Amino acid sequence: MKLYLSEGNPHCLKVLAASEESGFKCEVRYVNHEEKTVPFLSRPAVPALLLPSGQHLFSANVICRFMFEASGREDGCGQWLEWEATDLQPALQQALHMAVLQGKGSEVPKVLEKPLNYLDQSLKKGNSTFLHGDAVSVADIVLWAALCPLVSESSLSLGEHKSVTTWFERVAALHSCSSSAEKLLQGKGLQGLKGYMQRQPAPQSSRGRSSEACCSSPAEGEESERVISEEEMEAAASTWTQGLDSSSAATARKHPVLPQEGKRNILVTSALPYVNNVPHLGNIIGCVLSADVFSRYGRIRGWNLLFVCGTDEYGTATENKAREEGLTPQQICDKYHAIHADIYKWFQIDFDFFGRTTTEKQTEIAQDIFWRLHERQFLVEDTVEQLRCENCQRFLADRFVEGICPYCRYPEARGDQCDKCGRLINAVELREPQCKVCKQTPVIRSSKHLFLDLPKLEAQLEQWLEKSTGTGDWTANAKQITRSWLRDGLKPRCITRDLKWGTPVPHEDYKEKVFYVWFDAPIGYLSITANYTGEWEKWWKNPQQVELYNFMAKDNVPFHSVVFPCSLLGAQDNYTLVNHLVATEYLNYEDTKFSKSRGVGVFGDMAKDTGIPSDVWRFYLLYVRPEGQDSAFSWADMALKNNSELLNNLGNFINRAGMFVAKFFDGSVPAMELQQEDKKLLALVGWELQQYIQLMDKVKIRDALKHILNISRHGNQYIQVNEPWKKIKGGDVDKQRAGTVTGVSVNIACLLSVMLMPYMPTVSQTIRDQLNAPQSCVNTVLQGTGKFVCVLGAGHPIGSVSPLFQKLESDQIEALKKQFGGQQPDEEQPGQKSAAGTQSAATPAPAAAAAATPAATMNGVDPEKAKELTQAVTEQGEKVRALKAQKADKAVITAEVAKLLDLKKQLALAEGKSPEPAAQKGKKK
């Protein structure tokens, strides 16, 4: 094996240090920055590792992980490596560009503050020597090497990040790291990187980057007051006098919405939610809510827009759920489709059509795409080894099998992935596999399958991606994830499955199979549109006229940016491909993950029972929308933002403006005579409006919200300085001044109602109702780059004014936090309902089940007891996983693992099996 490196390349430092730390043996060759080490790439790729097979690895993180695994040092560091690539690296590239090429080293700490804060907090919480325990891991090497060039520079310190400092110095002291730094950086510091950096594309502007890196939420990034020129003031005053544009009156939506000549035709899709689960807050913000906000905004802007979504209903997960609930797959789909529809209706998601994938149109369109791919030879056949349960007489899909992870020996790994170490698994690699249905041991059998020939489509895909990512609004994570798939080379991807519940494969040789859900599910966008209108092809086979926006969480990106586009490109039927791929990061719950089984987190069907209006839920989820990195829902923060931003800032301003009109001017807007101070405010508000439009056009939904809140802050300050409640009691001049301030303020309130429409539709309508605002104001203010005009002129009568928001009290929030924080199973008493409401009164909790089971059981099978214990084992397993995820004290985890193993032993006895295998599994762990 040959390892190609270049001096002064920070990515090469990762690989060399990983090689020395892991003891990986290979020949090292030093090349210049522009040498092409990978023959089939048009661009230089260093570092690169040439394998004996002739294949190349040319992602630094992939090479590092390969070296550690090849040396027998396997660990679950995937999340750290992903964070380094998607969160830390963009900030580092900006910082290196500033320090090395622009001489702005003093600004580097500001750029790195956000990722360093995250790393520092994680190290504190982990309370271990290294990132992944008490032994150095590949994550330590990769993150140390990434930070090394900047942190080693004497003028650039880690500041207050004491945990990072301690960890960095500990890793730097390793011989593998110190010797690698000497070889590659040669004591030249940052200047040693200059040759490499000069060949890199310039990152985003430092202003844009640092503002994102240093501002964790919209309100926290308040800017100092903007300087307004005389010209801007006069221009704002001129715009103000233009009044409403009668031609821009909103027209009611007429269905079906179809593309129109001369209009901007926008097709919006939200990732299809799995039908078998109730969506939690993270699912809602990641897909449907974000898409809804953009769709509402687009309609206000006058775009011809269609927003479709629906439930994804085929696949293994549905079969599993049906078996659990004793229903047919179709009954499960019908039940949960209705649940999803009700949840989205309560959250005010304004779909043009919400459909489903279990339809004739789905079968028709999916099979047509299949035959077109087959005829154009983009499908290949291969034989796959699979697990087959002879007792159930069928091949086992990934989620129908469970066993011991071959990497970390976790005893409950699924057939596709291990929840403990995060590694992807081929089901046949599991040790001691079991069929989840009958608990029998499956056998390995061969089965023929069809694969989409992605390598054959790769050139077409790259050509399309270059255009789409270059001209469209793809989020940074979408681009990075897509590039990582392409960087490692595409491989054929299986599109068939040995299942019953799915779209049938129409080929005679595969008539017993169905399409794999990730070939089939994205076609649901097309079939759902086809169920909405018979003229669906005007949207989906019209790339010249239609812009397609896909909204999703980041885990769905590869299927929308690589797999599905390849299916459509290969079909060669003029399909509309995605122009703008908008992916969020993950939303967590407090300091853990959502879990329905443990009663942790708020799920869609629970939100309305809290008594908090859906608009407030929408506001807070959009306020913490995970646009640039993972974020977390927090009850305390939700209360804070409701009480400060909604009640005291936004609501206070709008209510005061309306109340002044009602109280001091008999409910009619007073005459206004603008002074310089008023013109300055108009210009400031107009600028905020322009920023809002620019950000919303680019789907920066969370950042745009900041400008709404900024406007109400400006308004509150304007009222406070001018004190109209005092001036109204003075002479004519003062009364006139009070009238002007009140009139300007109530017009700003009207503007805010329009800007709020995509975010808080009910509140928006309430404001306009209270102000008796004309409908034409909705489209006027968002024309072009934004027009802040006088909508409510002198004499305009307003309606009845009342408060918009209510305070969230601390005792109310504490009660909700406790309700949704999960109740540990062993704290429940027999017959007591769990916090999540998922456990029936007749089902004992794990500890109760254990207590009710004698230590020594008869060898006969006891189905009822086995059923109870199966539930107990599942819940105790969830508890153990949660404790590990939270990095709980080892003694606590050990005690809970012991309970889990004991429950498994009792379950084995109840099933008439020997308990010994369970004990062996415990020893292996």
Side-chain angles (χ1 to χ4, degrees), residues 77 101 127 138 219 239 449 501 568 617 631 741 755 772 847 894:
C77 292
L101 301 181
N127 196 27
V138 63
T239 301
H449 283 277
W501 186 245
L568 298 184
W617 281 105
S631 62
V741 171
M755 296 173 74
N772 194 26
T894 302

Side-chain angles (χ1 to χ4, degrees), residues 1-4 14-28 48-52 57 62-73 176:
M1 285 183 278
K2 295 177 182 177
L3 178 63
Y4 296 94
K14 297 179 184 177
V15 174
L16 185 59
S19 171
E20 296 199 10
E21 177 62 29
S22 65
F24 184 80
K25 303 298 181 186
C26 61
E27 178 187 345
V28 178
L49 179 65
L50 175 61
L51 303 176
L57 299 180
V62 170
I63 296 171
C64 292
R65 194 163 191 175
F66 177 83
M67 289 174 168
F68 268 70
E69 290 176 358
S71 305
R73 294 172 65 174
S176 56

Side-chain angles (χ1 to χ4, degrees), residues 425-466:
I425 298 172
N426 187 331
V428 297
E429 298 173 336
L430 286 172
R431 297 174 186 174
E432 300 182 28
Q434 277 192 342
C435 170
K436 288 189 71 174
V437 178
C438 69
K439 304 300 181 185
Q440 297 298 308
T441 301
V443 295
I444 296 176
R445 293 284 185 269
S446 295
S447 177
K448 283 197 309 181
H449 283 277
L450 286 170
F451 290 72
L452 180 61
D453 196 348
L454 292 179
K456 196 171 182 179
L457 290 157
E458 190 164 357
Q460 285 186 62
L461 179 73
E462 290 228 38
Q463 185 178 4
W464 164 73
L465 275 171
E466 185 175 356

Side-chain angles (χ1 to χ4, degrees), residues 19 36 175 183 225 244 247 254 360 413 514 621 760 796:
S19 171
K36 292 182 181 178
H175 176 73
K183 290 174 185 174
E225 186 170 338
L244 289 171
S247 65
K254 294 180 181 178
E360 291 181 10
V514 299
L621 290 175
M760 307 178 79
H796 172 86

Side-chain angles (χ1 to χ4, degrees), residues 780-795:
T780 298
V781 299
L782 293 189
Q783 279 185 353
T785 58
K787 289 175 63 178
F788 179 31
V789 300
C790 180
V791 171
L792 311 178

Side-chain angles (χ1 to χ4, degrees), residues 577-588:
L577 300 179
V578 62
N579 304 92
H580 315 275
L581 203 156
V582 184
T584 62
E585 300 291 320
Y586 295 138
L587 178 76
N588 295 314

Side-chain angles (χ1 to χ4, degrees), residues 829-850:
Q829 299 303 314
Q832 181 182 352
K833 190 173 180 180
S834 70
T838 57
Q839 188 172 316
S840 69
T843 306

Side-chain angles (χ1 to χ4, degrees), residues 293-294 296-298 300-301 684-711 751-760 778 781-782 784-786:
V293 171
F294 184 72
R296 287 175 179 273
Y297 169 77
I300 299 170
R301 290 278 274 159
L684 200 56
V685 170
W687 182 83
E688 298 283 3
L689 173 61
Q690 290 171 8
Q691 299 307 302
Y692 167 90
I693 289 175
Q694 288 176 22
L695 288 165
M696 288 293 276
D697 280 356
K698 294 290 185 182
V699 207
K700 299 292 186 182
I701 295 170
R702 186 195 65 193
D703 291 343
L705 181 56
K706 174 181 72 173
H707 295 281
I708 297 176
L709 300 173
N710 282 350
I711 288 175
L751 170 68
L752 287 169
S753 76
V754 177
M755 296 173 74
L756 278 169
M757 274 186 74
Y759 294 88
M760 307 178 79
V778 170
V781 299
L782 293 189
T785 58

